[in-house]
Amino acid sequence: MSVFTAARPSATLWIVATPIGNLEDIAPRAVRVLRQAAVIAAEDTRHSARLTRPLGIDTPMLSLHEHNEQARTEQLLARLADGDDVALISDAGTPLISDPGFVLVRAVRRAGFPIQSVPGPCAAIAALSIAGLPSDRFVFEGFLPAKATPRAARLAELAAETRTLVFYESSHRIGKCVADMARVFGAERQITLCRELTKLHEQSVSLSAEAIGEWLLADDNHRRGEFVLVVAGAPVRQETTPSLDVDALLAELLAITGTRPAAKIVARLTGMPRNEAYARALEMASH
Ligand code: SAM
């Protein structure tokens, strides 16, 4: 239980998304909320001033980053208790997505203050939306471990994942990361690499893991900037049901229908090739 109670119900923590490159992507509602808040908590206040100053936002800012988030959380809870609206932004994109803010949001929620989002840019979602890979289900993995051994171990854990995978990567490790993916996921695994999204030198290429590695080596500029890797999931394995079950199913079906429809149903239900199911149905029907 928290000692803080809301002085007035309107004291709200606003989680505000900011551009991932192109400053035109700031939402009008984000500008209004940032103007009206009593304080903006920003990962790097000098960096964020480059966004806020030209927009005429003169709300006081204080830093909130991974090294001071706990202490800032106490301060910001006190501000909310005083009735002040607080806005949280990060250097780029949506706060909390591979960025600070979780400690604050959890504490504010536990303390019972309202939290509202002003959604907007997020590199992972922008990349997924242009990757040309299945987007109905996906896994956001964020950054892989920086060191080679834990990175390979994490990739091995993900090798059989059938959903599309989304990774963040920096220019320092992009080459090694793609090489590891080709080794662990297989050279043929499809990857869409998105570089410098929404910026002047934006590029996206969709190739096999091996070919993405070659593309990165082909030009020094290809390894510069910020990256999202959208990786195709592993192929879904069609498990065939043990033959005993197939036989039992066929026996039931053959009692009510012919060999062809029975084989068709068994093939559809078990993943068994239709000609095999038909051969087995013929064999059983002849006994
Ligand atoms: N919170 C941010 C978001 O909503 O996307 C992500 C912050 S995380 C610290 C920074 C990483 O996001 C970069 O290393 C890169 O992987 C990815 N990223 C951010 N902006 C990007 C851009 N314009 N193009 C490609 N990747 C980007």
Side-chain angles (χ1 to χ4, degrees):
M1 273 295 285
S2 164
V3 292
F4 295 101
T5 48
R8 55 185 169 91
S10 60
T12 296
L13 172 65
W14 297 88
I15 305 300
V16 181
T18 57
I20 56 169
N22 190 329
L23 298 188
E24 288 175 29
D25 289 337
I26 186 87
R29 185 163 163 257
V31 175
R32 184 168 54 76
V33 167
L34 292 176
R35 275 200 191 119
Q36 288 174 357
V39 61
I40 299 172
E43 211 180 339
D44 176 340
T45 54
R46 277 210 295 194
H47 172 94
S48 291
R50 273 179 248 145
L51 169 75
T52 54
R53 210 177 295 123
L55 293 166
I57 299 166
D58 55 11
T59 309
M61 280 201 234
L62 53 79
S63 67
L64 184 147
H65 45 70
E66 57 176 328
H67 305 296
N68 71 356
E69 189 169 356
Q70 191 61 55
R72 283 290 192 236
T73 293
E74 300 302 321
Q75 275 176 271
L76 293 172
L77 280 168
R79 296 291 298 263
L80 287 163
D82 283 344
D84 288 341
D85 273 10
V86 174
L88 174 72
I89 58 175
S90 60
D91 282 353
T94 302
L96 280 87
I97 307 302
S98 295
D99 267 339
F102 166 63
V103 171
L104 174 69
V105 169
R106 182 179 54 183
V108 170
R109 197 160 270 289
R110 282 181 182 159
F113 294 102
I115 307 177
Q116 291 194 44
S117 76
V118 182
C122 173
I125 299 300
L128 187 66
S129 73
I130 62 167
L133 289 167
S135 52
D136 49 346
R137 289 189 173 80
F138 63 91
V139 184
F140 175 64
E141 273 291 314
F143 289 99
L144 283 163
K147 294 213 167 91
T149 307
R151 183 170 62 239
R154 183 71 196 130
L155 288 173
E157 283 168 8
L158 295 168
E161 173 59 62
T162 55
R163 291 168 293 181
T164 298
L165 299 132
V166 183
F167 298 90
Y168 281 165
E169 199 46 90
S170 69
S171 53
H172 311 298
R173 277 187 290 274
I174 187 69
K176 287 181 193 151
C177 172
V178 169
D180 283 354
M181 284 179 178
R183 193 165 46 77
V184 180
F185 293 165
E188 291 310 313
R189 186 74 77 93
Q190 182 88 4
I191 297 180
T192 300
L193 174 149
C194 299
R195 168 178 175 262
E196 296 288 84
L197 286 161
T198 77
K199 301 186 201 175
L200 185 61
H201 299 294
E202 171 166 358
Q203 275 182 311
S204 56
V205 279
S206 200
L207 296 165
S208 69
E210 187 175 38
I212 291 278
E214 289 163 3
W215 182 86
L216 284 166
L217 289 174
D219 184 336
D220 288 351
N221 287 323
H222 291 174
R223 299 188 298 281
R224 298 208 167 103
E226 300 190 283
F227 296 87
V228 182
L229 295 169
V230 185
V231 181
V236 179
R237 280 177 186 268
Q238 287 281 2
E239 296 283 339
T240 53
T241 315
S243 60
L244 234 186
D245 290 352
V246 168
D247 282 359
L249 193 55
L250 270 176
E252 291 291 331
L253 289 166
L254 287 171
I256 53 170
T257 189
T259 47
R260 248 177 228 290
K264 197 173 162 187
I265 294 168
V266 163
R268 191 177 303 154
L269 290 180
T270 64
M272 189 178 195
R274 199 190 288 187
N275 57 351
E276 271 180 42
Y278 183 51
R280 183 70 189 134
L282 282 179
E283 199 183 333
M284 287 176 68
S286 68
H287 288 128

